[in-house]
Amino acid sequence: MKKKILFVVTSHDKKGSTGEDTGYYLGEVSHPWEVLHKAGYEIDFVSPKGGTPPVDGFDLKDPVNKEFWENKEYKNKIDHSMTPSQVNPKEYSTIFYAGGHGAMWDFADNKELADIASKIYENGGIVAGVCHGPAGLVNIKLNNGKYLVDGKKINAFTNEEESEVKLTNVVPFLLEDKLKERGAKFEKSGLWQNHVVTDQRVITGQNPQSAKSVGEAIVKELKK
């Protein structure tokens, strides 16, 4: 029995005070899900508030999004996401933080999620994230008192990409800057380029374009 994979999705549905809707970015769930599901892994979902998380980037012209959305088992799972208190970290080989702008408001300061992630990691598991998902990594601390990202190559939505979508002054912090503050060796490519980095069981991708590659990198790491 392969150990399960835990996907973390945001419960936050508004971009600051703009009134614009946000949530988890569908493609950043569906594309890694497709890769991991096909590789035979079972996936569970958790969100800060549990229940049905808000969705963004809702594009069913993307065949992978459509496949995920119409998969009754997984649509039911994500619509009934667990709360952090319902998660047993011992059941999971990997925790993956999906992006979407909502993650910037409710991932970083969620101590329960950070605790789950540090337990999975200290247990020899993988911590992964894509786009704004690595907001969940900024406050994860290990048993040695160090930040998880300290000294590791990390990748996430860049300052340039945040500027390009005109949300630099809307998000509560800039993800690239915060990861660097925590000691991450931040890597990046140009706007909307697929860029994934793996360093000591931490796997991170830059943007929605990197979502599938993060899934592939998780499978590769799990096979080691």
Side-chain angles (χ1 to χ4, degrees):
M1 178 65 198
K2 289 178 181 172
K3 269 195 168 181
K4 295 188 289 185
I5 293 169
L6 185 64
F7 274 35
V8 188
V9 291
T10 180
S11 298
H12 190 86
D13 66 355
K14 287 284 180 280
K15 292 175 184 168
S17 54
T18 63
E20 287 177 41
D21 290 338
T22 185
Y24 69 87
Y25 202 81
L26 183 55
E28 293 173 25
V29 168
S30 69
H31 285 261
W33 165 81
E34 185 204 26
V35 172
L36 295 161
H37 182 56
K38 281 190 174 154
Y41 292 95
E42 187 187 338
I43 293 161
D44 288 341
F45 295 91
V46 63
S47 61
K49 292 180 181 170
T52 307
V55 61
D56 197 7
F58 190 75
D59 173 17
L60 294 187
K61 289 192 202 76
D62 175 336
V64 180
N65 281 353
K66 191 170 158 53
E67 185 190 347
F68 175 80
W69 204 250
E70 291 176 357
N71 181 304
K72 285 198 175 67
E73 179 195 357
Y74 276 98
K75 176 75 167 64
N76 184 56
K77 271 190 164 188
I78 201 165
D79 284 349
H80 298 85
S81 66
M82 294 184 285
T83 59
S85 62
Q86 293 174 295
V87 173
N88 175 4
K90 290 192 177 80
E91 291 180 17
Y92 300 96
S93 62
T94 305
I95 183 167
F96 165 72
Y97 289 87
H101 267 93
M104 292 297 291
W105 280 271
D106 66 356
F107 276 11
D109 295 327
N110 192 299
K111 290 186 172 63
E112 286 181 290
L113 286 170
D115 188 44
I116 290 164
S118 71
K119 282 181 176 144
I120 290 171
Y121 188 78
E122 302 270 17
N123 206 16
I126 295 164
V127 175
V130 71
C131 196
H132 289 96
L137 275 56
V138 301
N139 288 322
I140 297 172
K141 277 195 168 171
L142 302 176
N143 287 336
N144 60 11
K146 283 189 168 181
Y147 285 108
L148 170 72
V149 298
D150 190 6
K152 294 185 181 76
K153 292 182 206 153
I154 299 288
N155 179 228
F157 205 67
T158 65
N159 290 351
E160 290 83 359
E161 284 166 330
E162 207 62 86
S163 172
E164 187 76 5
V165 296
K166 299 184 169 50
L167 289 169
T168 302
N169 299 316
V170 174
V171 289
F173 59 90
L174 287 171
L175 188 48
E176 177 182 329
D177 290 355
K178 186 66 79 178
L179 287 162
K180 285 176 180 167
E181 269 175 44
R182 298 291 190 248
K185 296 175 183 167
F186 196 88
E187 288 196 352
K188 58 180 158 182
S189 295
L191 294 167
W192 322 121
Q193 299 298 305
N194 179 356
H195 187 136
V196 174
V197 59
T198 302
D199 191 355
Q200 301 168 65
R201 293 182 287 109
V202 178
I203 299 168
T204 43
Q206 184 168 319
N207 44 35
Q209 289 74 10
S210 312
K212 181 180 183 180
S213 300
V214 170
E216 290 166 346
I218 291 170
V219 170
K220 194 174 161 189
E221 193 70 18
L222 284 169
K223 283 183 174 162
K224 281 186 181 175

